[in-house]
């Protein structure tokens, strides 16, 4: 498991190993190499071969609400307050912004439905995966065993120091999973990747259908931006997923 580094015309991006199993679906995670902040959607449009006006994103608020775009919908790309997006529409991309928070990609190959979530500690604790999967089931008739999930690059437990207040929230909610909190050198660290995997497994996603990038933003600031690693940078990477015609 890991990430695959790709480069097209000096634009560097990542895919999550194993999740790139179907030509019908394409997913990417951008980097700081070749991606100027005012050209994010321009690059994305070129890499995915999707018109820029077909790239859906939302205003992220660390919540668990999800924007649903159905095939027949003609929703304008607007900035609603949502931290997840789901669609079965072809020739559009759905997209989230990241600078340490976890991108989580979903794909149902059978029903041809894609989704994407932005999960920081709040979205992870409040289980945005649940909102995504419930909506995939209810609105698109997806079967849980057909859904594959990728956990993308974000801050790892190597670097994600938390305070006692956040530690207690996770210990209360996950009393049976002590290894999500790591104590090291009198500091407390949280493993967001592990908590999201636990959430996915508890929702019924098959272990073999979960792929992890295991690539830390804060450890790799030559390639990626890190909010923690760079004193609150305003720069962002984007995660995106699309279905071909
Ligand atoms: Zn790290």
């Amino acid at each position: 498991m890991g990430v695959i580094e790709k480069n097209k015309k000096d634009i560097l991006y990542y895919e999550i190993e194993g999740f790139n199993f179907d030509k019908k679906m394409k997913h990417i995670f951008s980097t700081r190499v070749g991606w100027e902040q005012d050209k994010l959607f321009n690059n994305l449009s070129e890499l995915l071969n999707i018109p820029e006006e077909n790239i859906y994103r939302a205003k992220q608020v660390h919540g668990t609400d999800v924007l649903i775009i159905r095939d027949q919908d003609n929703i304008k790309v607007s900035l609603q307050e949502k931290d997840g997006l789901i669609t079965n529409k072809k020739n559009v991309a759905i997209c989230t912004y990241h600078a340490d928070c976890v991108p989580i990609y979903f794909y149902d190959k059978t029903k041809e439905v894609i989704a994407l979530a932005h999960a920081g500690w709040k979205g992870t604790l409040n289980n945005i995966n649940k909102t995504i999967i419930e909506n995939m089931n209810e609105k698109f008739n997806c079967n849980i065993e057909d859904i594959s999930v990728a956990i993308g690059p974000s801050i790892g437990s190597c670097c994600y120091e938390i305070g006692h207040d956040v530690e207690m929230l996770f210990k209360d909610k996950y009393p049976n999973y002590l290894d999500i909190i790591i104590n090291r050198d009198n500091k407390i660290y949280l493993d967001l990747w592990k908590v999201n995997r636990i959430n996915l497994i508890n929702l019924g996603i098959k272990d073999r259908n979960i792929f992890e990038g295991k690539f830390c933003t804060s450890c790799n600031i030559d390639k990626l931006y890190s909010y923690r690693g760079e004193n609150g940078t305003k720069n962002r990477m984007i995660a995106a997923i699309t279905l071909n015609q």
Side-chain angles (χ1 to χ4, degrees):
M1 271 195 271
V3 290
I4 303 165
E5 191 173 296
K6 301 228 168 176
N7 190 326
K8 191 178 174 186
K9 293 187 208 160
D10 295 327
I11 300 171
L12 191 77
Y13 63 98
Y14 290 104
E15 290 177 0
I16 291 113
E17 198 178 353
F19 191 63
N20 53 350
F21 60 88
D22 187 357
K23 281 200 172 67
K24 279 187 298 190
M25 178 274 289
K26 200 163 164 41
H27 76 285
I28 75 167
F29 191 74
S30 78
T31 66
R32 62 193 300 160
V33 183
W35 296 78
E36 282 109 62
Q37 289 294 299
D38 57 349
K39 279 175 56 190
L40 292 176
F41 297 110
N42 196 278
N43 280 3
L44 193 61
S45 167
E46 192 164 314
L47 288 174
L48 297 178
N49 199 22
I50 301 275
E52 230 176 295
E53 60 270 24
N54 291 4
I55 301 171
Y56 286 86
R57 58 267 191 188
K59 185 178 188 322
Q60 295 168 189
V61 291
H62 295 281
T64 56
D65 285 352
V66 168
L67 177 67
I68 292 163
I69 308 144
R70 288 190 189 79
D71 196 23
Q72 65 272 25
D73 289 346
N74 218 343
I75 298 175
K76 275 231 161 81
V77 173
S78 69
L79 291 183
Q80 300 184 44
E81 295 192 344
K82 311 276 185 189
D83 285 83
L85 305 98
I86 309 176
T87 193
N88 61 347
K89 219 173 159 84
K90 308 288 194 303
N91 200 35
V92 307
I94 50 176
C95 173
T96 47
Y97 300 90
H98 301 267
D100 280 345
C101 293
V102 191
I104 308 171
Y105 306 75
F106 300 78
Y107 177 44
D108 179 335
K109 186 182 172 170
T110 309
K111 296 292 190 317
E112 299 193 348
V113 177
I114 50 175
L116 190 59
H118 159 259
W121 72 261
K122 283 184 188 162
T124 300
L125 183 75
N126 296 324
N127 203 353
I128 189 166
N129 294 313
K130 184 167 185 276
T131 324
I132 297 262
I133 286 167
E134 281 176 357
N135 277 288
M136 287 178 82
N137 290 341
E138 287 163 21
K139 309 265 168 47
F140 296 94
N141 237 348
C142 294
N143 292 315
I144 196 84
E145 60 268 25
D146 295 331
I147 302 175
S148 297
V149 186
I151 300 172
S154 75
I155 195 160
S157 59
C158 39
C159 298
Y160 191 37
E161 191 184 346
I162 55 166
H164 183 61
D165 47 345
V166 175
E167 178 197 15
M168 290 322 293
L169 292 172
F170 279 86
K171 279 194 168 163
D172 283 349
K173 187 148 183 190
Y174 300 92
N176 299 324
Y177 299 98
L178 299 178
D179 59 347
I180 61 173
I181 303 282
I182 299 116
N183 292 291
R184 203 168 52 229
D185 303 331
N186 289 322
K187 291 177 179 168
I188 315 160
Y189 296 85
L190 174 63
D191 191 335
L192 288 172
W193 302 334
K194 201 166 268 174
V195 184
N196 278 294
R197 175 179 270 273
I198 291 164
N199 287 343
L200 291 164
I201 295 283
N202 287 343
L203 286 160
I205 299 287
K206 301 286 172 219
D207 194 60
R208 62 171 184 277
N209 291 337
I210 302 175
F211 304 92
E212 288 189 53
K214 291 195 184 288
F215 197 59
C216 173
T217 42
S218 186
C219 286
N220 293 283
I221 51 172
D222 55 327
K223 303 276 176 62
L224 301 175
Y225 295 114
S226 172
Y227 188 84
R228 284 289 186 90
E230 298 177 280
N231 298 316
T233 178
K234 288 198 166 59
N235 294 328
R236 294 288 179 270
M237 280 83 65
I238 46 177
I241 182 167
T242 183
L243 276 174
N244 296 331
Q245 203 65 272

